[in-house]
């Protein structure tokens, strides 16, 4: 078996890395990134500073790795719009958005972490900036994929421009809900119906593209 062929040292190394990232996630949630000292991270994880530097290089490296791992974890839960291709365009969008919000409700820490990092001074680090940009580009592309069959099934510059604008709006909605979820306990799924109603009404206003079956 592949797992059995790995050395004990490699297994321990992987485990210690995960322990450090788990500790970083908890500390950032409690204190914020700026309030998390390497000494706090060592105490929380139970490893010396040399382990932090060995695995991540520095504190920003911990942050970039935590972002990467959190994205990978959520990506496993997050649906692709193409999973719902059997449905009519608006129903396809609704099914995707419902499933996406369910995933976010299961991992509310993901967007909270991403949003906090995106506006903090650490955003200027190349390692963090590149990871955040890749994550947000992926989210934007998912929104475009979900909205295109509704508003631009046959292309057209105006229709495609509208899709891009709505994709930005949708991503901003989930960004804002990360704050509302944290402060007021409002779930992501509670906002599915209002947003879908807006999309459906706009599609009908623009000629019923969202009612056509298929792409």
């Amino acid at each position: 078996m592949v797992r059995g062929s790995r050395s004990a040292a490699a297994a321990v190394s992987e485990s210690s890395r995960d322990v450090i990232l788990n500790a970083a996630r908890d500390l950032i949630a409690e204190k914020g990134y700026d309030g998390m000292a390497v000494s706090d991270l060592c105490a929380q994880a139970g490893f010396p500073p040399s382990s932090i530097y060995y695995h991540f290089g520095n504190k920003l490296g911990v942050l970039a790795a935590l972002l990467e791992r959190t994205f990978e974890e959520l990506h496993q839960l997050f649906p692709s719009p193409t999973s719902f291709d059997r449905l009519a365009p608006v129903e396809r969008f609704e099914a995707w958005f419902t499933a996406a919000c369910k995933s976010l409700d299961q991992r509310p820490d993901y967007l909270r972490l991403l949003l906090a990092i995106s506006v903090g001074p650490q955003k200027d680090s190349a390692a963090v900036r590149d990871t955040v940009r890749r994550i947000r580009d992926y989210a934007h592309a998912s929104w475009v994929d979900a909205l295109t069959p509704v508003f631009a099934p046959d292309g057209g510059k105006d229709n495609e421009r509208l899709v891009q604008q709505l994709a930005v709006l949708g991503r901003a909605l989930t960004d804002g809900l990360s704050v509302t979820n944290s402060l007021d306990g409002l779930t992501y799924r509670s906002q599915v119906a209002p947003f879908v109603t807006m999309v459906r009404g706009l599609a009908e206003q623009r000629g019923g593209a969202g009612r056509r079956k298929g792409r």
Side-chain angles (χ1 to χ4, degrees):
M1 294 176 60
V2 175
R3 291 185 64 86
S5 67
R6 299 175 61 197
S7 67
V12 170
S13 177
E14 182 179 42
S15 176
S16 62
R17 191 176 191 277
D18 286 340
V19 169
I20 293 168
L21 290 178
N22 290 339
R25 180 189 60 203
D26 294 341
L27 286 170
I28 291 173
E30 178 185 349
K31 300 182 176 184
Y33 172 77
D34 293 331
M36 180 186 72
V38 171
S39 57
D40 296 330
L41 186 55
C42 292
Q44 183 88 351
F47 290 103
S50 59
S51 292
I52 310 295
Y53 301 129
Y54 171 77
H55 286 298
F56 307 104
N58 53 35
K59 181 179 166 183
L60 277 172
V62 175
L63 183 60
L66 179 60
L67 275 173
E68 186 74 26
R69 192 188 70 169
T70 304
F71 172 64
E72 290 173 355
E73 291 172 348
L74 186 66
H75 185 267
Q76 293 176 2
L77 298 175
F78 215 74
S80 167
T82 58
S83 301
F84 308 101
D85 278 352
R86 68 188 183 280
L87 301 175
V90 171
E91 285 67 33
R92 176 184 185 269
F93 170 78
E94 181 175 11
W96 169 78
F97 190 36
T98 299
C101 286
K102 181 179 179 181
S103 297
L104 290 172
D105 281 331
Q106 291 173 339
R107 290 297 309 272
D109 59 302
Y110 166 71
L111 280 183
R112 292 175 195 166
L113 175 67
L114 184 60
L115 189 60
I117 290 167
S118 296
V119 299
Q122 63 278 351
K123 72 180 185 301
D124 295 324
S125 160
V128 172
R129 183 179 62 248
D130 291 348
T131 304
V132 169
R133 173 50 54 198
R134 187 168 60 83
I135 293 170
R136 294 184 67 74
D137 285 348
Y138 170 83
H140 182 82
S142 295
W143 276 97
V144 170
D145 190 350
L147 289 163
T148 293
V150 179
F151 295 105
D154 303 315
K157 289 185 177 180
D158 289 342
N159 292 335
E160 291 171 356
R161 187 180 303 113
L162 175 63
V163 167
Q164 292 291 333
Q165 292 170 339
L166 289 174
V168 171
L169 178 62
R171 194 176 62 181
L173 169 69
T174 52
D175 285 346
L177 282 174
S178 68
V179 178
T180 305
N181 176 276
S182 180
L183 295 178
D184 301 329
L186 188 69
T187 65
Y188 291 87
R189 279 175 289 184
S190 68
Q191 298 307 298
V192 168
F195 200 83
V196 172
T197 297
M198 183 195 74
V199 167
R200 189 183 300 277
L202 185 57
E204 291 175 351
Q205 182 182 22
R206 292 175 64 86
R211 294 194 298 271
R212 294 203 298 269
K213 183 75 175 179
R215 289 180 175 247

